[in-house]
Amino acid sequence: MSDNKIPYKIYLTEDEMPKAWYNLRADMKNKPAPLLNPGTHQPLTAEELSPIFCEELVQQELDDTTPFIEIPEEIRNFYKMYRPSPLVRAYCLEEKLGTPAKIYYKFEGNNTSGSHKLNSAIAQAYYAKKQGLKGVTTETGAGQWGTALSMACSYFDLDCKVYMVKVSYEQKPFRREVMRTYGATVTPSPSETTEVGRKILAAHPGTTGSLGCAISEAVEVATKNPGYRYVLGSVLNQVLLHQSVIGLETKAAMDKYGIKPDIIIGCAGGGSNLGGLIAPFMGEKLRGEADYRIIAVEPASCPSFTRGTFSYDFCDTGMICPLAKMYTLGSDFIPSANHAGGLRFHGMSSTLSQLYHDGYMEATSVEQTSVFEAAEMFARVEGILPAPESSHAIRAAIDEAMKCKETGEEKTIVFGLTGTGYFDLVAYQKYNDGEMSDYIPSDAEIAESIAKLPKVD
Amino acid sequence: MSDNKIPYKIYLTEDEMPKAWYNLRADMKNKPAPLLNPGTHQPLTAEELSPIFCEELVQQELDDTTPFIEIPEEIRNFYKMYRPSPLVRAYCLEEKLGTPAKIYYKFEGNNTSGSHKLNSAIAQAYYAKKQGLKGVTTETGAGQWGTALSMACSYFDLDCKVYMVKVSYEQKPFRREVMRTYGATVTPSPSETTEVGRKILAAHPGTTGSLGCAISEAVEVATKNPGYRYVLGSVLNQVLLHQSVIGLETKAAMDKYGIKPDIIIGCAGGGSNLGGLIAPFMGEKLRGEADYRIIAVEPASCPSFTRGTFSYDFCDTGMICPLAKMYTLGSDFIPSANHAGGLRFHGMSSTLSQLYHDGYMEATSVEQTSVFEAAEMFARVEGILPAPESSHAIRAAIDEAMKCKETGEEKTIVFGLTGTGYFDLVAYQKYNDGEMSDYIPSDAEIAESIAKLPKVD
């Protein structure tokens, strides 16, 4: 079955792993717009950001000129426990589809957090430790980011306070227990532990919480407790920087075997995986050295690229965070409750938004029943049960491979398999039982939340 | 932190993967005693076994002279999707313990079934397919074996009927959903689908099932439906043969870097992982070419090696299967309900039992709270949430490493990390909440079940 002696899995050696992250912004002519102070609408300075983020992370957030930033040895040592991640040739999927396309995927799920989130969690924990902080706070919805952060904090002996949306806390006890096993304090949000939490509980006694509320609580705890900072798992420039390790490894593995991709596909919620996977390829494209089709895949029920507007907006539904210029559905937009497939963020990384705006990449949206259909097929032939988020990329990769079958083109497709679906089996059960449906927001629904965008000149 | 340029993870290339399984029995002077017909107490013939198992598996079960049996290319191709598995140098654990010992572990959890069980499941499915069968039946308790088998059957397009102990079916819906996603039919046992199931339900309307009952249903379905056979995930010689891929890879990876282990440690329930891990090392020991300390680790609540008797017994609690000569607590023995850590089988592989009887290996038993303590420490420093079963080996490896700390000896320890604990979080929660306790069966309890052993001359 194998082809040109390309193995099923390409592993780099530890020596071949990247020693620096690649900062895509350095090669962008049109830089991503700066974060704005939500009060003054002026670009945020390092001073303004440092009560929220660690100092070195603030520098990374603001640095749009330095192309390579060294990965500290401590982080590289941690990476060695679960990286390099394999670049897998999907021989069995190709055979199943009967396509002449050559399909590869970069698999980020071989770690206990189950996703690529750990790549940035360990970096953010390292800088917090280096600055002598006591701990960090964050919010988590389904729990992927919270799990990654609790692992990273445990490694550096940092305190980790996770505010977990109450409904997830109750319905996803397994994620919660992984975090507790790693020593994190997991608090269902809204809680009595914060002022904002108490306020919300008083006003809405029966509420099951929301991501916006959890963010507010995490930020309050970070700013009120000396020695704490708040950390975020996606959207930010610093996160895309750390995630460039995915793309750098992918490119190094492909270069080793002389493989040149035609199409690069990633799922997009806040953009951390997609931004990381495409980074070095997009760099070549920006510098005019190579051309690639780059496709962002988002859920039809939360279509920020394909149906949102390119505008300044709040990153959080609580509207307390800085303003970012991005493709957004409005911070008021909440995907339908029947949406089980993740990628629920209303906006998108500023870096990716600028690149999309400038025509360097495409975007497509897919419905969740077709996503789970692709997930199931993939699981059966490739032996990995994929996360629903990752399965958006699988869906698009299969669709592109089937186009190749029609045209006979032997295109090389690479996609990001961001993680495993071991904690998403409630959604799989829904699919297995034939109880999953699709939801596409109406134009009026999107227009309504976009109408509430903050006015920025 | 790294040592002599030994990487964190040693991966073989696909070319270096084993092309044949190693049949440990070929090098044993005292062969494991044959399976007996439960009615006549005569050794079972190939003819008697073939209505239950596939023909080639019957040959493998009975063959105690051929040292190497080729791994068919189809199985090797499947292995390439998740193998070679990494041999990991536990640098972080060593540092945490402050031990001069060098600790390695062979990690079998990087696949969706989450354990080493897939190594034999794919082999058993392959031979069933090759024989032109329609499908296979099996039982599953917690679901690890059922998951592995459903993945293997899905790959070869075989029907897979899993009888899952009813209480697990209801309390572990996630394992069930993985099996369903792979297309298996999962039936809570006892069920109305079999004669034995209907009989048990009539007699005990409220029963939550048992492994013995599930085995009986699975065997009934296999023998009554043309084109079906029954398969088993541990204990049998054929399973140990397939699992030798673990030990062969481990030895090849160590040889590549000139590493010679002093101590080899594996957890032992039915013995499939331990038998596979130690196979080539034990072969050298049997042939007088090398010496190793080999340690089986079992739960104090189900201590077949350390407190059982070496005798013929039924493999199943339903007493319908062949008799095997093994260390056993009696097929009537059921570990305490508070035992959460797996490895609940009352007996032990005949091959390992003979080797233990002949003094080629040691055995030790550990209590579950100390097992989960080791699991938590390991998860925090090595970044992998281990299965409770695997954590028995972690416990023993830590204990040996701490002895080295006392004596200053730089011993090389390798243990089998059989799988991940992602579906065992109910047990972790119990431990996190301080609600886990230990149970050690009394001598009287063990004597009572051993008194019921079948009388074989």
XYZ file of all heavy atoms in Angstrom, chain A residues 7-9 11 14 77 80-81 83 92 110-112 151 154-155 174 176-178 180-183 376 379-385 422-423 425-426 428-429 432-433, chain B residues 7-9 11 14 77 80-81 83 92 110-112 151 154-155 174 176-178 180-183 376 379-385 422-423 425-426 429 432-433:
684
model
N 6.920 6.510 4.845
C 6.342 5.682 5.908
C 4.937 6.144 6.281
O 4.501 7.224 5.890
C 7.307 5.877 7.074
C 8.020 7.144 6.797
C 8.043 7.326 5.313
N 4.243 5.317 7.037
C 2.917 5.691 7.513
C 3.017 6.935 8.394
O 2.147 7.793 8.363
C 2.308 4.542 8.328
C 1.690 3.450 7.480
C 2.479 2.665 6.642
C 0.323 3.209 7.521
C 1.910 1.665 5.866
C -0.259 2.205 6.755
C 0.544 1.435 5.930
O -0.027 0.454 5.170
N 4.057 6.974 9.203
C 4.208 8.107 10.111
C 5.608 8.663 9.956
O 6.581 7.915 10.053
C 4.017 7.670 11.563
C 2.618 7.139 11.882
C 2.393 6.986 13.360
C 2.578 5.583 13.896
N 3.599 4.715 13.417
N 8.302 10.772 11.718
C 8.728 11.387 12.976
C 10.050 12.105 12.749
O 10.984 11.514 12.212
C 8.955 10.317 14.049
C 7.715 9.849 14.759
C 7.203 8.582 14.520
C 7.072 10.664 15.678
C 6.063 8.136 15.182
C 5.932 10.223 16.339
C 5.437 8.962 16.091
O 4.320 8.526 16.741
N 14.618 14.171 17.785
C 14.575 15.299 18.721
C 15.492 16.435 18.266
O 15.201 17.608 18.487
C 14.938 14.812 20.130
C 13.790 14.007 20.728
C 14.068 13.408 22.101
O 15.093 13.739 22.711
O 13.231 12.615 22.563
N 12.392 20.871 26.386
C 12.439 19.591 27.110
C 11.038 19.050 27.364
O 10.797 17.850 27.246
C 13.191 19.758 28.437
C 14.695 19.749 28.226
O 15.187 19.275 27.199
N 15.430 20.279 29.183
N 9.620 17.567 24.328
C 10.162 16.248 23.999
C 9.385 15.108 24.646
O 9.533 13.957 24.247
C 11.630 16.168 24.420
C 12.558 16.943 23.495
C 13.985 16.887 24.009
C 14.868 17.863 23.232
N 16.196 17.997 23.902
N 8.575 15.429 25.666
C 7.784 14.360 26.274
C 6.620 13.941 25.380
O 6.119 12.829 25.505
C 7.287 14.781 27.650
C 8.435 14.868 28.650
S 7.878 14.616 30.335
C 7.053 16.157 30.627
N 6.297 15.490 21.874
C 6.619 15.860 20.528
C 7.947 15.192 20.154
O 8.656 14.742 21.055
C 6.792 17.397 20.385
C 5.680 18.231 20.971
C 5.713 19.644 20.425
N 5.420 19.629 19.002
C 4.185 19.590 18.485
N 3.146 19.616 19.270
N 4.009 19.544 17.192
N -4.696 4.548 4.410
C -5.958 3.796 4.486
C -7.142 4.663 4.070
O -8.072 4.188 3.421
C -6.159 3.240 5.886
S -4.907 2.026 6.331
N -1.580 13.004 20.645
C -0.872 12.020 21.479
C -0.325 12.608 22.782
O 0.859 12.507 23.093
C 0.292 11.403 20.696
C -0.153 10.229 19.853
O -1.263 9.725 20.029
N 0.684 9.790 18.946
N -1.203 13.241 23.537
C -0.807 13.689 24.866
C -2.079 13.723 25.701
O -3.182 13.740 25.156
C -0.117 15.062 24.815
C -1.063 16.182 24.446
O -1.865 16.620 25.277
N -1.012 16.644 23.212
N -1.915 13.726 27.014
C -3.088 13.550 27.871
C -4.101 14.679 27.750
O -5.303 14.459 27.928
C -2.634 13.313 29.330
O -2.159 11.964 29.423
C -3.763 13.501 30.336
N -1.922 20.609 33.202
C -0.721 19.781 33.018
C 0.532 20.636 33.037
O 1.542 20.287 33.663
C -0.799 19.035 31.681
C -1.832 17.926 31.645
S -1.918 17.151 30.003
C -0.308 16.324 29.945
N 1.247 21.986 36.561
C 1.742 20.923 37.415
C 3.235 20.706 37.178
O 4.021 20.546 38.109
C 0.935 19.652 37.130
O 1.608 18.513 37.555
N 3.642 20.760 35.920
C 5.049 20.533 35.563
C 5.955 21.600 36.170
O 7.050 21.329 36.635
C 5.180 20.516 34.041
C 6.559 20.198 33.533
C 7.060 18.901 33.589
C 7.361 21.191 32.982
C 8.323 18.601 33.103
C 8.634 20.902 32.492
C 9.107 19.608 32.559
O 10.362 19.310 32.071
N -15.409 14.095 33.633
C -14.123 13.443 33.377
C -13.031 14.469 33.120
O -11.914 14.347 33.628
C -14.242 12.472 32.199
C -14.971 11.204 32.551
C -15.556 11.037 33.800
C -15.057 10.162 31.644
C -16.217 9.870 34.144
C -15.709 8.988 31.972
C -16.293 8.843 33.215
N -12.993 17.450 34.200
C -12.768 18.064 35.500
C -11.812 17.208 36.338
O -10.893 17.720 36.975
C -14.137 18.169 36.196
C -14.139 18.757 37.570
C -15.541 18.652 38.151
N -15.816 17.318 38.669
C -17.031 16.785 38.807
N -18.108 17.461 38.457
N -17.181 15.583 39.291
N -12.014 15.889 36.318
C -11.166 15.018 37.131
C -9.733 14.974 36.621
O -8.802 14.833 37.405
C -11.746 13.601 37.220
C -12.996 13.498 38.073
C -12.843 14.109 39.465
O -11.792 13.936 40.096
O -13.786 14.790 39.902
N -9.542 15.063 35.304
C -8.166 15.115 34.795
C -7.486 16.362 35.352
O -6.366 16.314 35.862
C -8.118 15.135 33.253
C -6.669 15.179 32.778
C -8.794 13.910 32.671
N -8.190 18.021 38.064
C -7.946 17.853 39.501
C -6.761 16.911 39.745
O -5.962 17.139 40.655
C -9.198 17.293 40.196
C -10.333 18.299 40.296
C -11.522 17.681 41.022
N -11.253 17.485 42.428
C -11.871 16.574 43.200
N -12.790 15.778 42.681
N -11.575 16.466 44.468
N -6.653 15.873 38.923
C -5.519 14.951 39.083
C -4.204 15.695 38.871
O -3.193 15.381 39.490
C -5.659 13.769 38.111
O -6.883 13.101 38.386
C -4.515 12.775 38.257
N -4.227 16.710 38.014
C -3.025 17.519 37.784
C -2.926 18.664 38.788
O -2.115 19.567 38.628
C -2.978 18.024 36.338
C -2.479 16.951 35.416
C -3.356 16.130 34.716
C -1.121 16.700 35.298
C -2.886 15.104 33.913
C -0.648 15.683 34.494
C -1.526 14.889 33.804
O -1.054 13.872 33.016
N -3.769 18.627 39.799
C -3.615 19.568 40.901
C -4.293 20.911 40.716
O -4.134 21.815 41.544
N -16.478 9.611 11.671
C -16.678 8.179 11.819
C -15.900 7.397 10.762
O -15.251 6.394 11.061
C -18.169 7.841 11.723
C -18.445 6.388 12.026
C -19.870 5.999 11.698
O -20.141 5.685 10.514
O -20.694 6.023 12.612
N -12.245 7.529 11.728
C -11.957 6.660 12.879
C -11.841 5.215 12.431
O -10.948 4.480 12.855
C -13.046 6.807 13.934
N -12.747 4.806 11.557
C -12.769 3.402 11.156
C -11.583 3.014 10.288
O -11.061 1.919 10.422
C -14.077 3.080 10.436
C -15.270 3.135 11.375
C -16.547 2.674 10.699
N -17.667 2.766 11.629
C -18.867 2.245 11.386
N -19.102 1.627 10.247
N -19.837 2.368 12.275
N -11.152 3.904 9.407
C -10.051 3.501 8.531
C -8.683 3.894 9.066
O -7.699 3.197 8.827
C -10.203 3.989 7.064
C -11.432 3.352 6.434
C -10.248 5.485 6.950
N -8.588 4.990 9.785
C -7.273 5.436 10.264
C -7.015 5.079 11.731
O -5.924 5.314 12.254
C -7.108 6.946 10.047
C -6.954 7.336 8.575
C -5.585 6.922 7.998
O -4.592 7.047 8.711
O -5.551 6.465 6.845
N -8.045 4.554 12.412
C -7.806 4.048 13.759
C -7.682 5.099 14.844
O -7.243 4.801 15.941
N -8.026 6.329 14.550
C -7.998 7.383 15.570
C -9.376 8.009 15.657
O -9.911 8.464 14.649
C -6.981 8.492 15.206
C -5.561 7.922 15.147
C -7.045 9.645 16.212
C -4.542 8.901 14.561
N -9.941 8.048 16.861
C -11.219 8.714 17.063
C -10.942 10.212 17.181
O -10.361 10.664 18.165
C -11.888 8.195 18.334
C -13.315 8.688 18.543
C -14.285 7.855 17.704
C -13.708 8.629 20.013
N -11.912 11.583 22.795
C -12.226 10.681 23.920
C -13.137 11.316 24.962
O -13.772 10.604 25.729
C -10.945 10.202 24.605
C -9.939 9.576 23.657
C -8.580 9.656 23.900
C -10.354 8.904 22.513
C -7.653 9.088 23.034
C -9.433 8.340 21.640
C -8.085 8.440 21.909
O -7.175 7.884 21.049
N -13.166 12.631 25.007
C -14.035 13.292 25.979
C -15.253 13.920 25.295
O -15.924 14.764 25.854
C -13.233 14.333 26.774
C -12.184 13.714 27.649
C -10.872 13.644 27.242
C -12.530 13.158 28.876
C -9.900 13.045 28.038
C -11.570 12.560 29.683
C -10.253 12.507 29.272
N -17.699 11.993 23.755
C -18.518 10.852 23.354
C -20.001 11.088 23.543
O -20.817 10.357 22.984
C -18.019 9.576 24.013
C -16.742 9.125 23.281
C -15.870 8.266 24.153
C -17.105 8.396 21.995
N -20.362 12.132 24.279
C -21.781 12.496 24.337
C -22.232 12.943 22.943
O -23.304 12.563 22.466
C -22.014 13.598 25.391
C -23.437 14.116 25.313
C -21.711 13.066 26.793
N -20.722 12.054 20.078
C -20.719 10.860 19.217
C -21.974 10.015 19.446
O -22.541 9.459 18.509
C -19.456 10.012 19.457
C -18.282 10.443 18.608
C -17.293 11.271 19.115
C -18.170 10.024 17.293
C -16.211 11.660 18.338
C -17.096 10.407 16.503
C -16.118 11.218 17.024
O -15.068 11.599 16.253
N -22.379 9.911 20.709
C -23.584 9.126 21.013
C -24.794 9.715 20.285
O -25.601 9.001 19.701
C -23.824 9.094 22.518
C -25.081 8.289 22.875
C -25.236 8.056 24.364
O -24.416 8.500 25.168
N -26.290 7.347 24.733
N -24.443 8.667 16.782
C -24.726 7.227 16.646
C -26.215 6.919 16.772
O -26.723 5.994 16.150
C -23.959 6.423 17.706
C -22.459 6.414 17.458
O -22.007 6.594 16.332
N -21.685 6.221 18.517
N -26.895 7.700 17.612
C -28.330 7.473 17.828
C -29.200 8.182 16.785
O -30.421 8.153 16.886
C -28.731 7.953 19.233
C -28.184 7.032 20.332
O -27.842 5.873 20.006
O -28.100 7.459 21.491
N 17.584 9.873 23.674
C 16.455 10.803 23.564
C 15.361 10.493 24.579
O 15.378 9.442 25.216
C 15.953 10.579 22.141
C 16.444 9.240 21.747
C 17.694 8.973 22.518
N 14.444 11.430 24.721
C 13.295 11.193 25.596
C 12.496 9.998 25.110
O 11.971 9.232 25.895
C 12.406 12.435 25.624
C 12.886 13.529 26.548
C 14.074 14.208 26.299
C 12.161 13.896 27.674
C 14.517 15.209 27.143
C 12.589 14.903 28.528
C 13.772 15.558 28.255
O 14.207 16.535 29.091
N 12.352 9.920 23.802
C 11.565 8.816 23.255
C 12.374 8.132 22.165
O 12.863 8.786 21.249
C 10.268 9.333 22.629
C 9.323 9.989 23.610
C 7.966 10.252 23.011
C 7.731 11.670 22.560
N 8.728 12.396 21.850
N 12.109 5.860 19.069
C 11.196 5.269 18.082
C 12.009 4.430 17.117
O 13.010 4.897 16.585
C 10.507 6.367 17.267
C 9.295 6.979 17.921
C 9.333 8.282 18.415
C 8.107 6.278 18.011
C 8.213 8.858 19.006
C 6.990 6.846 18.596
C 7.039 8.134 19.084
O 5.937 8.691 19.652
N 9.952 2.210 10.692
C 9.039 1.145 10.274
C 9.800 -0.093 9.800
O 9.352 -1.222 10.001
C 8.077 1.664 9.201
C 7.062 2.605 9.826
C 6.081 3.224 8.845
O 6.061 2.853 7.664
O 5.322 4.121 9.284
N 0.900 -3.826 8.338
C 0.437 -2.520 7.849
C -0.466 -1.831 8.872
O -0.379 -0.620 9.066
C -0.304 -2.671 6.514
C 0.664 -2.831 5.363
O 1.840 -2.455 5.471
N 0.185 -3.383 4.257
N 1.479 -0.373 11.616
C 2.165 0.878 11.261
C 1.315 2.114 11.519
O 1.825 3.228 11.546
C 2.592 0.842 9.787
C 3.784 -0.061 9.539
C 4.129 -0.100 8.055
C 5.157 -1.201 7.794
N 5.291 -1.437 6.333
N 0.001 1.917 11.682
C -0.841 3.090 11.982
C -0.646 3.562 13.415
O -0.899 4.720 13.715
C -2.305 2.778 11.706
C -2.557 2.642 10.209
S -4.262 2.998 9.771
C -5.070 1.563 10.417
N 2.004 1.865 15.601
C 3.295 1.378 16.065
C 4.367 1.908 15.122
O 4.038 2.357 14.034
C 3.347 -0.163 16.071
C 2.197 -0.845 16.795
C 2.527 -2.289 17.115
N 3.582 -2.325 18.116
C 3.364 -2.200 19.437
N 2.161 -2.100 19.892
N 4.372 -2.193 20.271
N 12.017 12.885 33.620
C 11.360 13.748 34.616
C 11.014 12.969 35.883
O 11.129 13.497 36.986
C 10.112 14.382 34.019
S 10.496 15.492 32.656
N -0.871 4.999 22.819
C -1.112 5.939 21.724
C -1.974 5.361 20.611
O -1.599 5.377 19.440
C 0.218 6.408 21.139
C 0.798 7.579 21.902
O 0.122 8.200 22.721
N 2.054 7.900 21.630
N -3.121 4.852 20.983
C -4.081 4.433 19.964
C -5.461 4.559 20.588
O -5.590 4.620 21.820
C -3.789 3.007 19.487
C -4.095 1.964 20.527
O -5.263 1.650 20.777
N -3.065 1.444 21.176
N -6.495 4.607 19.744
C -7.821 4.937 20.258
C -8.358 3.899 21.240
O -9.104 4.250 22.150
C -8.785 5.214 19.080
O -8.487 6.523 18.569
C -10.245 5.188 19.521
N -12.358 -1.889 16.820
C -11.497 -1.192 15.852
C -10.931 -2.167 14.827
O -10.899 -1.879 13.625
C -10.337 -0.502 16.584
C -10.750 0.682 17.419
S -9.343 1.387 18.343
C -8.371 2.063 16.986
N -13.659 -3.391 12.424
C -14.030 -2.332 11.500
C -13.030 -2.265 10.347
O -13.394 -2.128 9.183
C -14.078 -1.011 12.269
O -13.986 0.072 11.411
N -11.744 -2.414 10.669
C -10.681 -2.335 9.656
C -10.815 -3.455 8.632
O -10.620 -3.252 7.440
C -9.331 -2.398 10.351
C -8.146 -2.241 9.441
C -7.794 -0.990 8.938
C -7.350 -3.332 9.096
C -6.682 -0.842 8.110
C -6.246 -3.191 8.277
C -5.919 -1.941 7.782
O -4.824 -1.789 6.969
N -19.245 5.815 27.655
C -18.291 6.332 26.668
C -17.580 5.203 25.931
O -17.436 5.240 24.708
C -17.274 7.251 27.345
C -17.831 8.593 27.705
C -19.177 8.885 27.530
C -17.008 9.577 28.212
C -19.690 10.126 27.855
C -17.514 10.833 28.537
C -18.848 11.108 28.367
N -18.757 2.294 25.500
C -19.796 1.724 24.640
C -19.917 2.531 23.343
O -20.023 1.974 22.253
C -21.110 1.773 25.425
C -22.306 1.253 24.735
C -23.554 1.532 25.580
N -24.005 2.907 25.485
C -24.702 3.557 26.418
N -25.033 2.941 27.544
N -25.078 4.802 26.246
N -19.889 3.854 23.452
C -20.049 4.684 22.251
C -18.865 4.580 21.308
O -19.030 4.679 20.096
C -20.292 6.153 22.640
C -21.660 6.416 23.221
C -22.812 5.867 22.389
O -22.774 5.983 21.154
O -23.739 5.294 22.984
N -17.648 4.406 21.853
C -16.501 4.201 20.962
C -16.730 2.927 20.152
O -16.578 2.906 18.940
C -15.166 4.103 21.737
C -14.017 3.889 20.753
C -14.913 5.344 22.567
N -19.541 1.486 19.396
C -20.609 1.700 18.412
C -20.102 2.524 17.234
O -20.478 2.283 16.075
C -21.807 2.409 19.061
C -22.596 1.501 20.004
C -23.790 2.250 20.579
N -24.815 2.528 19.595
C -25.689 3.537 19.676
N -25.651 4.361 20.716
N -26.597 3.712 18.747
N -19.266 3.521 17.520
C -18.718 4.338 16.437
C -17.910 3.471 15.476
O -17.879 3.723 14.278
C -17.862 5.478 17.016
O -18.683 6.268 17.890
C -17.295 6.370 15.916
N -17.281 2.433 16.011
C -16.535 1.504 15.157
C -17.440 0.410 14.584
O -16.957 -0.571 14.030
C -15.336 0.920 15.911
C -14.189 1.906 15.923
C -13.988 2.771 16.993
C -13.345 2.021 14.822
C -12.965 3.705 16.977
C -12.322 2.941 14.795
C -12.134 3.787 15.876
O -11.130 4.704 15.843
N -18.746 0.561 14.764
C -19.680 -0.334 14.087
C -20.008 -1.621 14.824
O -20.695 -2.488 14.283
N -0.775 9.291 40.011
C -0.875 10.752 40.023
C 0.500 11.397 39.877
O 0.680 12.343 39.113
C -1.557 11.213 41.309
C -1.845 12.692 41.303
C -2.256 13.193 42.680
O -1.358 13.446 43.520
O -3.458 13.321 42.902
N 1.590 10.967 36.293
C 0.846 11.865 35.390
C 1.410 13.278 35.457
O 1.588 13.935 34.437
C -0.640 11.875 35.764
N 1.715 13.720 36.656
C 2.171 15.101 36.812
C 3.562 15.335 36.252
O 3.822 16.391 35.684
C 2.120 15.487 38.296
C 0.694 15.600 38.802
C 0.639 16.136 40.214
N -0.753 16.197 40.661
C -1.138 16.801 41.782
N -0.245 17.413 42.544
N -2.416 16.808 42.121
N 4.456 14.362 36.395
C 5.811 14.618 35.899
C 6.051 14.114 34.483
O 6.829 14.712 33.741
C 6.918 14.084 36.852
C 6.864 14.792 38.196
C 6.843 12.582 37.029
N 5.385 13.062 34.090
C 5.630 12.515 32.757
C 4.559 12.909 31.739
O 4.682 12.606 30.559
C 5.760 10.980 32.814
C 7.054 10.500 33.472
C 8.290 10.767 32.601
O 8.196 10.595 31.381
O 9.341 11.148 33.157
N 3.494 13.564 32.215
C 2.527 14.120 31.271
C 1.573 13.111 30.644
O 0.901 13.435 29.667
N 1.515 11.906 31.175
C 0.575 10.910 30.641
C -0.291 10.413 31.791
O 0.234 9.961 32.809
C 1.319 9.700 30.029
C 2.165 10.131 28.830
C 0.334 8.607 29.616
C 3.110 9.042 28.335
N -1.593 10.489 31.633
C -2.504 9.961 32.645
C -2.591 8.455 32.424
O -3.166 8.000 31.431
C -3.880 10.601 32.502
C -4.857 10.245 33.628
C -4.588 11.127 34.853
C -6.292 10.408 33.171
N -7.986 7.455 30.341
C -9.017 8.438 29.960
C -10.434 7.937 30.216
O -11.364 8.737 30.310
C -8.876 8.835 28.491
C -7.493 9.316 28.114
C -6.988 9.106 26.844
C -6.689 9.976 29.043
C -5.706 9.535 26.492
C -5.406 10.407 28.704
C -4.933 10.176 27.423
O -3.674 10.597 27.084
N -10.605 6.631 30.279
C -11.946 6.095 30.530
C -12.057 5.538 31.955
O -12.976 4.802 32.258
C -12.299 5.031 29.487
C -12.441 5.592 28.100
C -11.397 5.525 27.195
C -13.608 6.247 27.719
C -11.511 6.067 25.922
C -13.736 6.791 26.453
C -12.687 6.708 25.547
N -11.867 7.618 34.730
C -11.856 8.803 35.590
C -12.818 8.712 36.759
O -12.708 9.490 37.705
C -12.043 10.061 34.744
C -10.702 10.354 34.045
C -10.888 11.163 32.782
C -9.732 11.057 34.979
N -13.721 7.743 36.718
C -14.549 7.521 37.904
C -13.646 7.044 39.053
O -13.765 7.499 40.193
C -15.667 6.490 37.603
C -16.402 6.105 38.881
C -16.645 7.066 36.576
N -11.562 9.969 40.210
C -12.379 10.870 41.028
C -12.460 10.360 42.466
O -12.311 11.133 43.409
C -13.781 11.001 40.425
C -14.678 11.920 41.255
C -15.993 12.239 40.567
O -16.276 11.762 39.472
N -16.796 13.067 41.218
N -9.214 11.200 43.983
C -9.115 12.652 44.216
C -9.981 13.092 45.395
O -9.642 14.042 46.106
C -9.533 13.440 42.961
C -8.535 13.295 41.823
O -7.360 13.018 42.050
N -9.004 13.467 40.590
N -11.111 12.433 45.565
C -12.030 12.795 46.643
C -11.676 12.105 47.963
O -12.412 12.253 48.951
C -13.476 12.434 46.257
C -14.013 13.343 45.170
O -13.453 14.451 44.979
O -14.994 12.964 44.503
